Amino acid sequence: MTESVLEHVDILIIGAGPVGMTLHLALAAGGQKSLLLDRRPRPAGSTLEVQQSQQNDPRALALSYGARQLLEQINAWPTRAATPIETIHISQKDGFGRTLIDRADYQLAALGYVVRYRDVAAALAGQLANEALLDSVEILDITPADDHVSVSVRHAGALHQIQTKLLIHAEGTPGGDPAVKVSDYHQHAVIAEITPQPGHQNRAWERFTPDGPLALLPLGNEYSVVFTLPPAKADAVMAMDDAAFTAALQNQFGNRLRFTNPGPRSRFPLFLRMREKLVQGNEVWIGNTAQTLHPVSGQGFNLGIRDAWQLAEILLKNGVDRSSLASYAASRRLDRQGSAFFTDQIVRTFSNDFGPLKLARGLGLLALDICPPARHFVAKRMIWGARAWP
Ligand SMILES: Cc1cc2nc3c(=O)[nH]c(=O)nc-3n(C[C@H](O)[C@H](O)[C@H](O)COP(=O)(O)OP(=O)(O)OC[C@H]3O[C@@H](n4cnc5c(N)ncnc54)[C@H](O)[C@@H]3O)c2cc1C
């Protein structure tokens, strides 16, 4: 290893995922420099397109109309890769009641958009300056002091000591951190793309089944399927051949569409992870590292973008100072707790086959359909996130 290099930066962001990059670009738009670190490599021969493992990420994200507006402000909206959602159909398997949310009721071009994770990451990475990101780093040590944080990293065979006024954690879903409360949903999301017959007409479906929610998101000419199942059933679904998988999906969905040509499948175990304290000294946690939610109703990245945006606004207005971090934590309380509660309640209320609850769910869906204020609340949460609250 070569000699250690000492650097000073005002703001260091660990994690160049979509949330970390959004924060970096929002700060840069206001004239504030920051440095991103990521453990993943950039693809050989490319400048700053998209990092290697992000290229292979099979996830599609439902992004709210509000998220689009924020990404547009930093020139990172992937127009050609985004499929608009014009209507959302919500129902339960083997039960009555359904509701339909329609963009026409809100005078919007779309309720939201579906974009592959890798396309959002590519659009953001495309806006980064070359020197904005140190890739393939290994974080060796983080030492907090009163007025700064020291971070030791290994990069390209050299040891770097980086001193930063503020350290932002955007490393994504935390593993085994005692500061994070974890609740296991005992569900896995199996995801795949599949072709609907006839076409999807820009309709998203959210269908509640006793095994867990099933979401179909329009993506190009396909549906991106999020098939939520108990772990043992997810094992079985992952092992199926394409014909058996298509039949299992058809059985959960019903006959309103026919499915063909399923693509490769991936799976994600699902947990609710909530970090109790967002700020500690000169460090702050944002995006999935602050809260990781169940993917039902597509709140996670939308919430992460709002974290990044709010933090950038406060730092630009109040200065790069730990007191800004306290204002940030206070300002995010309602949005993160509201989003986590909304998502968690949907999963717990809808993922079972208990007769009276099924009846109540049917009545709830019926009430949503015939009661415009209740329907508007759900619609606005999809369109704007926290601004759904009056
Ligand atoms: C199946 C599924 C479907 C989903 N659907 C939706 C949806 O429809 N809508 C929605 O809004 N959200 C959805 N989400 C949630 C969404 O994917 C996340 O909220 C979002 O990816 C979080 O972004 P992030 O930047 O915080 O973390 P990540 O995307 O995980 O990025 C973290 C980055 O940090 C880097 N990193 C990690 N550790 C280190 C380290 N020690 N040192 C250096 N770098 C490090 C990683 O390499 C990575 O680049 C879904 C999630 C799943 C699992």
Side-chain angles (χ1 to χ4, degrees), residues 14-20 37-40 54 59-62 117 139 170-173 189 191 217 268 287-288 295 298-302:
I14 305 183
V19 171
L37 302 182
D38 205 288
R39 64 181 173 198
R40 300 198 272 207
Q54 289 175 344
R59 254 174 290 182
L61 304 177
Y117 178 97
I139 311 281
E171 299 101 332
T173 303
I191 62 170
L217 304 171
F268 295 80
N288 263 34
Q299 299 284 310
F301 177 49
N302 291 295

PDB file of all heavy atoms in Angstrom, residues 14-20 37-40 54 59-62 117 139 170-173 189 191 217 268 287-288 295 298-302, ligand 1:
ATOM      1  N   ILE A  14     -21.378   8.705   1.675  1.00  0.00           N
ATOM      2  CA  ILE A  14     -21.019   7.304   1.424  1.00  0.00           C
ATOM      3  C   ILE A  14     -22.237   6.639   0.778  1.00  0.00           C
ATOM      4  O   ILE A  14     -23.312   6.581   1.369  1.00  0.00           O
ATOM      5  CB  ILE A  14     -20.646   6.547   2.707  1.00  0.00           C
ATOM      6  CG1 ILE A  14     -19.532   7.272   3.459  1.00  0.00           C
ATOM      7  CG2 ILE A  14     -20.211   5.122   2.360  1.00  0.00           C
ATOM      8  CD1 ILE A  14     -19.048   6.532   4.715  1.00  0.00           C
ATOM      9  N   GLY A  15     -22.064   6.154  -0.459  1.00  0.00           N
ATOM     10  CA  GLY A  15     -23.162   5.502  -1.180  1.00  0.00           C
ATOM     11  C   GLY A  15     -23.583   6.330  -2.376  1.00  0.00           C
ATOM     12  O   GLY A  15     -24.220   7.377  -2.229  1.00  0.00           O
ATOM     13  N   ALA A  16     -23.182   5.890  -3.587  1.00  0.00           N
ATOM     14  CA  ALA A  16     -23.602   6.582  -4.817  1.00  0.00           C
ATOM     15  C   ALA A  16     -24.736   5.806  -5.465  1.00  0.00           C
ATOM     16  O   ALA A  16     -24.731   5.521  -6.661  1.00  0.00           O
ATOM     17  CB  ALA A  16     -22.426   6.743  -5.762  1.00  0.00           C
ATOM     18  N   GLY A  17     -25.740   5.434  -4.643  1.00  0.00           N
ATOM     19  CA  GLY A  17     -26.994   4.895  -5.176  1.00  0.00           C
ATOM     20  C   GLY A  17     -27.848   6.076  -5.609  1.00  0.00           C
ATOM     21  O   GLY A  17     -27.400   7.238  -5.569  1.00  0.00           O
ATOM     22  N   PRO A  18     -29.096   5.830  -6.020  1.00  0.00           N
ATOM     23  CA  PRO A  18     -29.919   6.947  -6.492  1.00  0.00           C
ATOM     24  C   PRO A  18     -30.117   8.044  -5.445  1.00  0.00           C
ATOM     25  O   PRO A  18     -30.144   9.227  -5.796  1.00  0.00           O
ATOM     26  CB  PRO A  18     -31.261   6.289  -6.845  1.00  0.00           C
ATOM     27  CG  PRO A  18     -31.065   4.821  -6.779  1.00  0.00           C
ATOM     28  CD  PRO A  18     -29.733   4.521  -6.168  1.00  0.00           C
ATOM     29  N   VAL A  19     -30.190   7.687  -4.170  1.00  0.00           N
ATOM     30  CA  VAL A  19     -30.433   8.717  -3.149  1.00  0.00           C
ATOM     31  C   VAL A  19     -29.173   9.558  -2.927  1.00  0.00           C
ATOM     32  O   VAL A  19     -29.223  10.797  -2.910  1.00  0.00           O
ATOM     33  CB  VAL A  19     -30.944   8.074  -1.833  1.00  0.00           C
ATOM     34  CG1 VAL A  19     -30.977   9.098  -0.708  1.00  0.00           C
ATOM     35  CG2 VAL A  19     -32.336   7.472  -2.059  1.00  0.00           C
ATOM     36  N   GLY A  20     -28.016   8.898  -2.797  1.00  0.00           N
ATOM     37  CA  GLY A  20     -26.762   9.632  -2.609  1.00  0.00           C
ATOM     38  C   GLY A  20     -26.489  10.546  -3.798  1.00  0.00           C
ATOM     39  O   GLY A  20     -26.082  11.701  -3.631  1.00  0.00           O
ATOM     40  N   LEU A  37     -18.623   8.492  -2.298  1.00  0.00           N
ATOM     41  CA  LEU A  37     -17.794   7.281  -2.263  1.00  0.00           C
ATOM     42  C   LEU A  37     -18.700   6.097  -2.533  1.00  0.00           C
ATOM     43  O   LEU A  37     -19.817   6.055  -2.023  1.00  0.00           O
ATOM     44  CB  LEU A  37     -17.203   7.051  -0.870  1.00  0.00           C
ATOM     45  CG  LEU A  37     -16.326   8.114  -0.228  1.00  0.00           C
ATOM     46  CD1 LEU A  37     -15.841   7.610   1.136  1.00  0.00           C
ATOM     47  CD2 LEU A  37     -15.131   8.422  -1.117  1.00  0.00           C
ATOM     48  N   ASP A  38     -18.238   5.135  -3.320  1.00  0.00           N
ATOM     49  CA  ASP A  38     -19.017   3.898  -3.462  1.00  0.00           C
ATOM     50  C   ASP A  38     -18.067   2.712  -3.538  1.00  0.00           C
ATOM     51  O   ASP A  38     -16.975   2.808  -4.098  1.00  0.00           O
ATOM     52  CB  ASP A  38     -19.932   3.925  -4.689  1.00  0.00           C
ATOM     53  CG  ASP A  38     -21.132   2.994  -4.507  1.00  0.00           C
ATOM     54  OD1 ASP A  38     -20.950   1.762  -4.543  1.00  0.00           O
ATOM     55  OD2 ASP A  38     -22.250   3.513  -4.298  1.00  0.00           O
ATOM     56  N   ARG A  39     -18.536   1.601  -2.989  1.00  0.00           N
ATOM     57  CA  ARG A  39     -17.677   0.403  -3.021  1.00  0.00           C
ATOM     58  C   ARG A  39     -17.721  -0.288  -4.370  1.00  0.00           C
ATOM     59  O   ARG A  39     -16.893  -1.110  -4.685  1.00  0.00           O
ATOM     60  CB  ARG A  39     -18.086  -0.561  -1.920  1.00  0.00           C
ATOM     61  CG  ARG A  39     -19.473  -1.121  -2.071  1.00  0.00           C
ATOM     62  CD  ARG A  39     -19.797  -2.043  -0.918  1.00  0.00           C
ATOM     63  NE  ARG A  39     -21.190  -2.453  -0.976  1.00  0.00           N
ATOM     64  CZ  ARG A  39     -21.851  -2.962   0.032  1.00  0.00           C
ATOM     65  NH1 ARG A  39     -21.262  -3.120   1.188  1.00  0.00           N
ATOM     66  NH2 ARG A  39     -23.108  -3.316  -0.099  1.00  0.00           N
ATOM     67  N   ARG A  40     -18.735   0.075  -5.193  1.00  0.00           N
ATOM     68  CA  ARG A  40     -18.848  -0.597  -6.491  1.00  0.00           C
ATOM     69  C   ARG A  40     -17.948   0.076  -7.528  1.00  0.00           C
ATOM     70  O   ARG A  40     -17.697   1.278  -7.454  1.00  0.00           O
ATOM     71  CB  ARG A  40     -20.300  -0.557  -6.975  1.00  0.00           C
ATOM     72  CG  ARG A  40     -21.233  -1.260  -5.997  1.00  0.00           C
ATOM     73  CD  ARG A  40     -22.538  -1.605  -6.621  1.00  0.00           C
ATOM     74  NE  ARG A  40     -23.531  -0.554  -6.533  1.00  0.00           N
ATOM     75  CZ  ARG A  40     -24.845  -0.786  -6.524  1.00  0.00           C
ATOM     76  NH1 ARG A  40     -25.308  -2.006  -6.593  1.00  0.00           N
ATOM     77  NH2 ARG A  40     -25.698   0.197  -6.465  1.00  0.00           N
ATOM     78  N   GLN A  54     -25.320  -1.932 -10.550  1.00  0.00           N
ATOM     79  CA  GLN A  54     -26.578  -1.239 -10.801  1.00  0.00           C
ATOM     80  C   GLN A  54     -27.118  -1.618 -12.178  1.00  0.00           C
ATOM     81  O   GLN A  54     -28.314  -1.671 -12.389  1.00  0.00           O
ATOM     82  CB  GLN A  54     -26.390   0.271 -10.711  1.00  0.00           C
ATOM     83  CG  GLN A  54     -26.151   0.731  -9.271  1.00  0.00           C
ATOM     84  CD  GLN A  54     -25.847   2.198  -9.173  1.00  0.00           C
ATOM     85  OE1 GLN A  54     -25.529   2.832 -10.162  1.00  0.00           O
ATOM     86  NE2 GLN A  54     -25.920   2.736  -7.981  1.00  0.00           N
ATOM     87  N   ARG A  59     -34.756  -4.511 -10.582  1.00  0.00           N
ATOM     88  CA  ARG A  59     -35.918  -3.801 -10.050  1.00  0.00           C
ATOM     89  C   ARG A  59     -36.475  -2.748 -11.005  1.00  0.00           C
ATOM     90  O   ARG A  59     -35.721  -2.066 -11.690  1.00  0.00           O
ATOM     91  CB  ARG A  59     -35.494  -3.006  -8.813  1.00  0.00           C
ATOM     92  CG  ARG A  59     -35.919  -3.549  -7.530  1.00  0.00           C
ATOM     93  CD  ARG A  59     -35.308  -2.749  -6.402  1.00  0.00           C
ATOM     94  NE  ARG A  59     -33.876  -2.947  -6.285  1.00  0.00           N
ATOM     95  CZ  ARG A  59     -33.136  -2.378  -5.343  1.00  0.00           C
ATOM     96  NH1 ARG A  59     -33.684  -1.548  -4.476  1.00  0.00           N
ATOM     97  NH2 ARG A  59     -31.846  -2.613  -5.277  1.00  0.00           N
ATOM     98  N   ALA A  60     -37.805  -2.609 -11.011  1.00  0.00           N
ATOM     99  CA  ALA A  60     -38.410  -1.427 -11.632  1.00  0.00           C
ATOM    100  C   ALA A  60     -39.005  -0.625 -10.489  1.00  0.00           C
ATOM    101  O   ALA A  60     -39.529  -1.197  -9.530  1.00  0.00           O
ATOM    102  CB  ALA A  60     -39.492  -1.833 -12.614  1.00  0.00           C
ATOM    103  N   LEU A  61     -38.916   0.683 -10.574  1.00  0.00           N
ATOM    104  CA  LEU A  61     -39.418   1.531  -9.494  1.00  0.00           C
ATOM    105  C   LEU A  61     -40.621   2.324  -9.984  1.00  0.00           C
ATOM    106  O   LEU A  61     -40.579   2.887 -11.077  1.00  0.00           O
ATOM    107  CB  LEU A  61     -38.341   2.514  -9.044  1.00  0.00           C
ATOM    108  CG  LEU A  61     -36.995   1.930  -8.599  1.00  0.00           C
ATOM    109  CD1 LEU A  61     -36.019   3.054  -8.266  1.00  0.00           C
ATOM    110  CD2 LEU A  61     -37.185   1.013  -7.399  1.00  0.00           C
ATOM    111  N   ALA A  62     -41.681   2.356  -9.169  1.00  0.00           N
ATOM    112  CA  ALA A  62     -42.797   3.263  -9.455  1.00  0.00           C
ATOM    113  C   ALA A  62     -42.431   4.595  -8.815  1.00  0.00           C
ATOM    114  O   ALA A  62     -42.243   4.665  -7.603  1.00  0.00           O
ATOM    115  CB  ALA A  62     -44.076   2.712  -8.857  1.00  0.00           C
ATOM    116  N   TYR A 117     -34.594   0.561 -12.144  1.00  0.00           N
ATOM    117  CA  TYR A 117     -33.607   1.107 -11.193  1.00  0.00           C
ATOM    118  C   TYR A 117     -32.362   1.553 -11.953  1.00  0.00           C
ATOM    119  O   TYR A 117     -31.838   2.639 -11.746  1.00  0.00           O
ATOM    120  CB  TYR A 117     -33.280   0.019 -10.166  1.00  0.00           C
ATOM    121  CG  TYR A 117     -32.231   0.378  -9.127  1.00  0.00           C
ATOM    122  CD1 TYR A 117     -32.595   0.833  -7.866  1.00  0.00           C
ATOM    123  CD2 TYR A 117     -30.872   0.237  -9.403  1.00  0.00           C
ATOM    124  CE1 TYR A 117     -31.634   1.148  -6.906  1.00  0.00           C
ATOM    125  CE2 TYR A 117     -29.910   0.553  -8.451  1.00  0.00           C
ATOM    126  CZ  TYR A 117     -30.302   1.008  -7.208  1.00  0.00           C
ATOM    127  OH  TYR A 117     -29.344   1.317  -6.265  1.00  0.00           O
ATOM    128  N   ILE A 139     -14.245   1.188   2.853  1.00  0.00           N
ATOM    129  CA  ILE A 139     -14.216   2.049   4.048  1.00  0.00           C
ATOM    130  C   ILE A 139     -13.520   1.252   5.154  1.00  0.00           C
ATOM    131  O   ILE A 139     -13.962   0.155   5.502  1.00  0.00           O
ATOM    132  CB  ILE A 139     -15.648   2.415   4.523  1.00  0.00           C
ATOM    133  CG1 ILE A 139     -16.516   2.919   3.367  1.00  0.00           C
ATOM    134  CG2 ILE A 139     -15.615   3.378   5.712  1.00  0.00           C
ATOM    135  CD1 ILE A 139     -16.326   4.315   2.939  1.00  0.00           C
ATOM    136  N   ALA A 170     -25.554   7.108   2.870  1.00  0.00           N
ATOM    137  CA  ALA A 170     -26.597   6.743   1.885  1.00  0.00           C
ATOM    138  C   ALA A 170     -26.243   5.371   1.318  1.00  0.00           C
ATOM    139  O   ALA A 170     -26.311   5.140   0.115  1.00  0.00           O
ATOM    140  CB  ALA A 170     -26.664   7.811   0.788  1.00  0.00           C
ATOM    141  N   GLU A 171     -25.862   4.453   2.226  1.00  0.00           N
ATOM    142  CA  GLU A 171     -25.363   3.135   1.784  1.00  0.00           C
ATOM    143  C   GLU A 171     -26.469   2.145   1.451  1.00  0.00           C
ATOM    144  O   GLU A 171     -26.172   0.993   1.139  1.00  0.00           O
ATOM    145  CB  GLU A 171     -24.481   2.495   2.873  1.00  0.00           C
ATOM    146  CG  GLU A 171     -23.244   3.259   3.247  1.00  0.00           C
ATOM    147  CD  GLU A 171     -23.440   4.040   4.552  1.00  0.00           C
ATOM    148  OE1 GLU A 171     -24.594   4.423   4.860  1.00  0.00           O
ATOM    149  OE2 GLU A 171     -22.450   4.290   5.254  1.00  0.00           O
ATOM    150  N   GLY A 172     -27.724   2.564   1.577  1.00  0.00           N
ATOM    151  CA  GLY A 172     -28.811   1.619   1.285  1.00  0.00           C
ATOM    152  C   GLY A 172     -29.103   0.750   2.498  1.00  0.00           C
ATOM    153  O   GLY A 172     -28.616   1.016   3.610  1.00  0.00           O
ATOM    154  N   THR A 173     -29.886  -0.296   2.273  1.00  0.00           N
ATOM    155  CA  THR A 173     -30.413  -1.133   3.361  1.00  0.00           C
ATOM    156  C   THR A 173     -29.309  -1.571   4.339  1.00  0.00           C
ATOM    157  O   THR A 173     -28.342  -2.211   3.928  1.00  0.00           O
ATOM    158  CB  THR A 173     -31.079  -2.370   2.739  1.00  0.00           C
ATOM    159  OG1 THR A 173     -32.076  -1.889   1.848  1.00  0.00           O
ATOM    160  CG2 THR A 173     -31.714  -3.242   3.792  1.00  0.00           C
ATOM    161  N   ALA A 189     -40.236 -10.817  -2.133  1.00  0.00           N
ATOM    162  CA  ALA A 189     -40.748 -10.301  -3.406  1.00  0.00           C
ATOM    163  C   ALA A 189     -40.031 -11.037  -4.533  1.00  0.00           C
ATOM    164  O   ALA A 189     -38.802 -10.987  -4.618  1.00  0.00           O
ATOM    165  CB  ALA A 189     -40.487  -8.809  -3.503  1.00  0.00           C
ATOM    166  N   ILE A 191     -39.529 -10.907  -8.420  1.00  0.00           N
ATOM    167  CA  ILE A 191     -39.812  -9.939  -9.475  1.00  0.00           C
ATOM    168  C   ILE A 191     -39.401 -10.483 -10.847  1.00  0.00           C
ATOM    169  O   ILE A 191     -38.455 -11.253 -10.964  1.00  0.00           O
ATOM    170  CB  ILE A 191     -39.177  -8.563  -9.196  1.00  0.00           C
ATOM    171  CG1 ILE A 191     -37.668  -8.669  -9.138  1.00  0.00           C
ATOM    172  CG2 ILE A 191     -39.676  -7.965  -7.908  1.00  0.00           C
ATOM    173  CD1 ILE A 191     -37.035  -7.302  -9.101  1.00  0.00           C
ATOM    174  N   LEU A 217     -46.700  -3.396 -12.775  1.00  0.00           N
ATOM    175  CA  LEU A 217     -46.384  -2.013 -13.135  1.00  0.00           C
ATOM    176  C   LEU A 217     -46.070  -1.947 -14.622  1.00  0.00           C
ATOM    177  O   LEU A 217     -45.193  -2.692 -15.096  1.00  0.00           O
ATOM    178  CB  LEU A 217     -45.161  -1.538 -12.344  1.00  0.00           C
ATOM    179  CG  LEU A 217     -45.275  -1.639 -10.822  1.00  0.00           C
ATOM    180  CD1 LEU A 217     -43.927  -1.347 -10.158  1.00  0.00           C
ATOM    181  CD2 LEU A 217     -46.316  -0.641 -10.310  1.00  0.00           C
ATOM    182  N   PHE A 268     -36.266 -10.740  -3.412  1.00  0.00           N
ATOM    183  CA  PHE A 268     -35.788  -9.869  -2.341  1.00  0.00           C
ATOM    184  C   PHE A 268     -36.555 -10.224  -1.062  1.00  0.00           C
ATOM    185  O   PHE A 268     -37.782 -10.133  -1.063  1.00  0.00           O
ATOM    186  CB  PHE A 268     -36.086  -8.393  -2.659  1.00  0.00           C
ATOM    187  CG  PHE A 268     -35.356  -7.846  -3.853  1.00  0.00           C
ATOM    188  CD1 PHE A 268     -35.810  -8.093  -5.155  1.00  0.00           C
ATOM    189  CD2 PHE A 268     -34.229  -7.059  -3.685  1.00  0.00           C
ATOM    190  CE1 PHE A 268     -35.142  -7.574  -6.249  1.00  0.00           C
ATOM    191  CE2 PHE A 268     -33.555  -6.534  -4.781  1.00  0.00           C
ATOM    192  CZ  PHE A 268     -34.007  -6.787  -6.062  1.00  0.00           C
ATOM    193  N   GLY A 287     -32.314   8.020   2.914  1.00  0.00           N
ATOM    194  CA  GLY A 287     -32.688   6.950   1.972  1.00  0.00           C
ATOM    195  C   GLY A 287     -32.877   5.631   2.704  1.00  0.00           C
ATOM    196  O   GLY A 287     -33.245   5.594   3.880  1.00  0.00           O
ATOM    197  N   ASN A 288     -32.581   4.538   2.009  1.00  0.00           N
ATOM    198  CA  ASN A 288     -32.827   3.215   2.587  1.00  0.00           C
ATOM    199  C   ASN A 288     -32.032   2.956   3.860  1.00  0.00           C
ATOM    200  O   ASN A 288     -32.429   2.129   4.668  1.00  0.00           O
ATOM    201  CB  ASN A 288     -32.502   2.108   1.566  1.00  0.00           C
ATOM    202  CG  ASN A 288     -33.748   1.638   0.854  1.00  0.00           C
ATOM    203  OD1 ASN A 288     -34.649   2.433   0.613  1.00  0.00           O
ATOM    204  ND2 ASN A 288     -33.815   0.371   0.512  1.00  0.00           N
ATOM    205  N   PRO A 295     -42.064  -2.986  -0.484  1.00  0.00           N
ATOM    206  CA  PRO A 295     -42.277  -2.284  -1.766  1.00  0.00           C
ATOM    207  C   PRO A 295     -43.739  -2.033  -2.137  1.00  0.00           C
ATOM    208  O   PRO A 295     -44.005  -1.311  -3.093  1.00  0.00           O
ATOM    209  CB  PRO A 295     -41.619  -3.212  -2.796  1.00  0.00           C
ATOM    210  CG  PRO A 295     -41.516  -4.539  -2.155  1.00  0.00           C
ATOM    211  CD  PRO A 295     -41.448  -4.309  -0.665  1.00  0.00           C
ATOM    212  N   GLY A 298     -44.968   1.299  -3.538  1.00  0.00           N
ATOM    213  CA  GLY A 298     -43.806   1.999  -4.115  1.00  0.00           C
ATOM    214  C   GLY A 298     -43.429   3.293  -3.427  1.00  0.00           C
ATOM    215  O   GLY A 298     -43.346   4.342  -4.062  1.00  0.00           O
ATOM    216  N   GLN A 299     -43.164   3.237  -2.116  1.00  0.00           N
ATOM    217  CA  GLN A 299     -42.861   4.485  -1.397  1.00  0.00           C
ATOM    218  C   GLN A 299     -41.358   4.709  -1.193  1.00  0.00           C
ATOM    219  O   GLN A 299     -40.918   5.831  -1.001  1.00  0.00           O
ATOM    220  CB  GLN A 299     -43.541   4.462  -0.020  1.00  0.00           C
ATOM    221  CG  GLN A 299     -45.054   4.353  -0.075  1.00  0.00           C
ATOM    222  CD  GLN A 299     -45.728   5.661  -0.456  1.00  0.00           C
ATOM    223  OE1 GLN A 299     -45.439   6.702   0.117  1.00  0.00           O
ATOM    224  NE2 GLN A 299     -46.603   5.615  -1.429  1.00  0.00           N
ATOM    225  N   GLY A 300     -40.539   3.624  -1.195  1.00  0.00           N
ATOM    226  CA  GLY A 300     -39.157   3.685  -0.703  1.00  0.00           C
ATOM    227  C   GLY A 300     -38.265   4.716  -1.362  1.00  0.00           C
ATOM    228  O   GLY A 300     -37.738   5.615  -0.690  1.00  0.00           O
ATOM    229  N   PHE A 301     -38.080   4.626  -2.659  1.00  0.00           N
ATOM    230  CA  PHE A 301     -37.172   5.565  -3.324  1.00  0.00           C
ATOM    231  C   PHE A 301     -37.788   6.966  -3.362  1.00  0.00           C
ATOM    232  O   PHE A 301     -37.073   7.977  -3.230  1.00  0.00           O
ATOM    233  CB  PHE A 301     -36.829   5.061  -4.731  1.00  0.00           C
ATOM    234  CG  PHE A 301     -35.949   6.019  -5.475  1.00  0.00           C
ATOM    235  CD1 PHE A 301     -34.810   6.548  -4.890  1.00  0.00           C
ATOM    236  CD2 PHE A 301     -36.251   6.399  -6.773  1.00  0.00           C
ATOM    237  CE1 PHE A 301     -33.994   7.451  -5.573  1.00  0.00           C
ATOM    238  CE2 PHE A 301     -35.450   7.298  -7.458  1.00  0.00           C
ATOM    239  CZ  PHE A 301     -34.325   7.822  -6.861  1.00  0.00           C
ATOM    240  N   ASN A 302     -39.112   7.020  -3.505  1.00  0.00           N
ATOM    241  CA  ASN A 302     -39.773   8.334  -3.490  1.00  0.00           C
ATOM    242  C   ASN A 302     -39.468   9.070  -2.183  1.00  0.00           C
ATOM    243  O   ASN A 302     -39.201  10.271  -2.172  1.00  0.00           O
ATOM    244  CB  ASN A 302     -41.280   8.145  -3.659  1.00  0.00           C
ATOM    245  CG  ASN A 302     -41.616   7.652  -5.058  1.00  0.00           C
ATOM    246  OD1 ASN A 302     -41.397   8.350  -6.032  1.00  0.00           O
ATOM    247  ND2 ASN A 302     -42.119   6.431  -5.159  1.00  0.00           N
TER     248      ASN A 302
HETATM  249  C1  LIG B   1     -38.474  -5.493  -5.071  1.00  0.00           C
HETATM  250  C2  LIG B   1     -38.383  -4.022  -4.771  1.00  0.00           C
HETATM  251  C3  LIG B   1     -39.222  -3.126  -5.426  1.00  0.00           C
HETATM  252  C4  LIG B   1     -39.169  -1.776  -5.142  1.00  0.00           C
HETATM  253  N1  LIG B   1     -40.037  -0.940  -5.766  1.00  0.00           N
HETATM  254  C5  LIG B   1     -40.032   0.378  -5.467  1.00  0.00           C
HETATM  255  C6  LIG B   1     -40.936   1.273  -6.114  1.00  0.00           C
HETATM  256  O1  LIG B   1     -41.765   0.855  -6.934  1.00  0.00           O
HETATM  257  N2  LIG B   1     -40.870   2.604  -5.818  1.00  0.00           N
HETATM  258  C7  LIG B   1     -39.987   3.102  -4.884  1.00  0.00           C
HETATM  259  O2  LIG B   1     -39.994   4.309  -4.632  1.00  0.00           O
HETATM  260  N3  LIG B   1     -39.122   2.279  -4.257  1.00  0.00           N
HETATM  261  C8  LIG B   1     -39.123   0.940  -4.510  1.00  0.00           C
HETATM  262  N4  LIG B   1     -38.230   0.107  -3.900  1.00  0.00           N
HETATM  263  C9  LIG B   1     -37.262   0.708  -2.938  1.00  0.00           C
HETATM  264  C10 LIG B   1     -36.032   1.295  -3.651  1.00  0.00           C
HETATM  265  O3  LIG B   1     -35.388   0.315  -4.417  1.00  0.00           O
HETATM  266  C11 LIG B   1     -35.071   1.868  -2.614  1.00  0.00           C
HETATM  267  O4  LIG B   1     -35.773   2.725  -1.739  1.00  0.00           O
HETATM  268  C12 LIG B   1     -33.927   2.668  -3.280  1.00  0.00           C
HETATM  269  O5  LIG B   1     -33.189   1.851  -4.148  1.00  0.00           O
HETATM  270  C13 LIG B   1     -32.998   3.204  -2.183  1.00  0.00           C
HETATM  271  O6  LIG B   1     -31.932   3.902  -2.774  1.00  0.00           O
HETATM  272  P1  LIG B   1     -30.617   4.211  -1.924  1.00  0.00           P
HETATM  273  O7  LIG B   1     -29.770   5.061  -2.805  1.00  0.00           O
HETATM  274  O8  LIG B   1     -30.975   4.664  -0.553  1.00  0.00           O
HETATM  275  O9  LIG B   1     -29.924   2.766  -1.706  1.00  0.00           O
HETATM  276  P2  LIG B   1     -29.308   1.762  -2.781  1.00  0.00           P
HETATM  277  O10 LIG B   1     -30.073   1.803  -4.026  1.00  0.00           O
HETATM  278  O11 LIG B   1     -29.185   0.456  -2.068  1.00  0.00           O
HETATM  279  O12 LIG B   1     -27.815   2.324  -3.034  1.00  0.00           O
HETATM  280  C14 LIG B   1     -26.825   2.274  -2.019  1.00  0.00           C
HETATM  281  C15 LIG B   1     -25.439   2.533  -2.614  1.00  0.00           C
HETATM  282  O13 LIG B   1     -24.481   2.541  -1.548  1.00  0.00           O
HETATM  283  C16 LIG B   1     -23.342   1.744  -1.901  1.00  0.00           C
HETATM  284  N5  LIG B   1     -22.750   1.208  -0.661  1.00  0.00           N
HETATM  285  C17 LIG B   1     -23.313   0.374   0.230  1.00  0.00           C
HETATM  286  N6  LIG B   1     -22.482   0.115   1.251  1.00  0.00           N
HETATM  287  C18 LIG B   1     -21.355   0.811   0.989  1.00  0.00           C
HETATM  288  C19 LIG B   1     -20.111   0.939   1.689  1.00  0.00           C
HETATM  289  N7  LIG B   1     -19.856   0.324   2.836  1.00  0.00           N
HETATM  290  N8  LIG B   1     -19.158   1.730   1.152  1.00  0.00           N
HETATM  291  C20 LIG B   1     -19.372   2.380  -0.029  1.00  0.00           C
HETATM  292  N9  LIG B   1     -20.542   2.288  -0.730  1.00  0.00           N
HETATM  293  C21 LIG B   1     -21.513   1.510  -0.221  1.00  0.00           C
HETATM  294  C22 LIG B   1     -23.918   0.660  -2.807  1.00  0.00           C
HETATM  295  O14 LIG B   1     -22.913   0.126  -3.636  1.00  0.00           O
HETATM  296  C23 LIG B   1     -24.993   1.446  -3.598  1.00  0.00           C
HETATM  297  O15 LIG B   1     -24.456   2.052  -4.752  1.00  0.00           O
HETATM  298  C24 LIG B   1     -38.261  -1.268  -4.164  1.00  0.00           C
HETATM  299  C25 LIG B   1     -37.400  -2.157  -3.508  1.00  0.00           C
HETATM  300  C26 LIG B   1     -37.465  -3.520  -3.796  1.00  0.00           C
HETATM  301  C27 LIG B   1     -36.553  -4.458  -3.061  1.00  0.00           C
END
